[in-house]
Amino acid sequence: MPMKEVDQQAATPQPALSRQDFLRAALALAASPLFRYVPAEAADRFDVSEIAPGLFVHQGRYELQSPLNRGDMANASFVVGADAVAVIDTLGSVVAGRDLRSAIRAVTGKPIRYVINTHMHPDHVFGNAAFKEDSPAFVGHYKLARGLATRADRYLAINKGMLGEEAFEGIEIIVPTLAVENRLTLDLGGRSLVLETQPTAHTDNDLTVTDTVTGTLFLGDLLFSVHVPTLDGSIKGWLALLDEFSRRQAPRVVPGHGPHAMALPEALQPEQRYLGTIVADVRKLIKDGKTLEDATRIAGFAERDAWRLFDHYHVRNVTAAFAELEWE
Ligand SMILES: [Zn+2]
């Protein structure tokens, strides 16, 4: 993806701009999507872009959660209809979720009726409590509640340690009050969102969202760009699903991590290549009688330079893939 997207993430505290930098920034802004909102109190820290009419995306950082980024490391979106607003993912803390809520309120005063979670991972659900005051329906895959309940203690402990007291404040587990069994349509007035549960892939509770007015497809963490994919479900299931998505017609897709919006089918290709490389390498190692330990040192390392956070997640991905593939 364009380096502009990456550089934007890297620029945390803004140094004084040279004239050349200023011109470059002005040009980048002119070329950016329809709308850009930066709340005054959160300048340099939080922005959303209108990628299609009424459809806003905040891009998270390619980082692990920390006191500095306050769990703002995934993409979060909101869709504005004639009657109501739906939020898609809430970031990794209540403080980050509140920034998202402020960004929504700067755009519209319409009621926030739905908070949709694309899957159970903390970087997508730990901001849920920031929307409690709106009394929305919390919406997710029917397996999300069980997944989150099983992991709640561990997720809370890990995030408390990594975020620190201040950014951890107010975080609680909020499971769906509206569970999607297969497919569900939410009416926002003049536009609807079609929610579809997906088979086990990135996790066992991935949910996709399609906006009927613009055709935009929100893939959650079924699509990673720049940020290395994280496997917590089935690598074979994930590859099969990506194959299916590559045949879909959508004018744009929104990844769970990556740029605000991307095009099909190209957007899927680096992830297909990454997961496909792991499968091919692990299968060969198993066939040659190699161990899991061998695999974690060899499999998929040709992909190392293609992804951010590779060293943090790759060995876990290989471990999960090995467990799945050794019983073929
Ligand atoms: Zn994520």
Side-chain angles (χ1 to χ4, degrees), residues 86-109:
V87 181
I88 304 173
D89 287 341
T90 59
L91 305 171
S93 72
V94 180
V95 285
R98 281 192 204 116
D99 280 349
L100 176 64
R101 192 176 180 281
S102 300
I104 296 170
R105 282 293 165 250
V107 170
T108 176

Side-chain angles (χ1 to χ4, degrees), residues 89-98 101 115 117 122 124-136 138 168-175:
D89 287 341
T90 59
L91 305 171
S93 72
V94 180
V95 285
R98 281 192 204 116
R101 192 176 180 281
V115 172
N117 292 130
H124 301 258
V125 306
F126 271 9
N128 281 6
F131 296 91
K132 275 203 301 190
E133 64 191 280
D134 300 295
S135 305
F138 289 94
F168 187 75
E169 183 248 313
I171 289 179
E172 59 180 288
I173 302 286
I174 297 183
V175 296

Side-chain angles (χ1 to χ4, degrees), residues 73-75 89 119 121-124 202 220-221 224 227 230 256-257:
M73 327 99 60
N75 293 348
D89 287 341
H119 63 285
H121 287 157
D123 52 330
H124 301 258
H202 156 255
D221 278 5
F224 282 81
H227 182 307
T230 65
H257 298 263

Side-chain angles (χ1 to χ4, degrees), residues 125-195:
V125 306
F126 271 9
N128 281 6
F131 296 91
K132 275 203 301 190
E133 64 191 280
D134 300 295
S135 305
F138 289 94
V139 192
H141 190 295
Y142 72 98
K143 288 184 180 170
L144 190 152
R146 186 178 63 195
L148 202 48
T150 309
R151 306 235 185 131
D153 292 345
R154 189 153 61 90
Y155 279 172
L156 291 168
I158 290 170
N159 280 274
K160 189 170 189 174
M162 292 181 80
L163 290 169
E165 290 289 338
E166 213 173 299
F168 187 75
E169 183 248 313
I171 289 179
E172 59 180 288
I173 302 286
I174 297 183
V175 296
T177 54
L178 182 54
V180 185
E181 290 282 348
N182 178 23
R183 177 187 263 259
L184 178 72
T185 300
L186 303 177
D187 182 7
L188 302 180
R191 82 193 310 160
S192 297
L193 298 179
V194 179
L195 281 49

Side-chain angles (χ1 to χ4, degrees), residues 47 69 79 123 133 187 197 200 206 230-231 271 273 298:
D47 69 88
N69 66 33
V79 183
D123 52 330
E133 64 191 280
D187 182 7
T197 59
T200 302
D206 299 303
T230 65
L231 173 62
E271 185 172 82
R273 189 195 63 223
I298 302 166

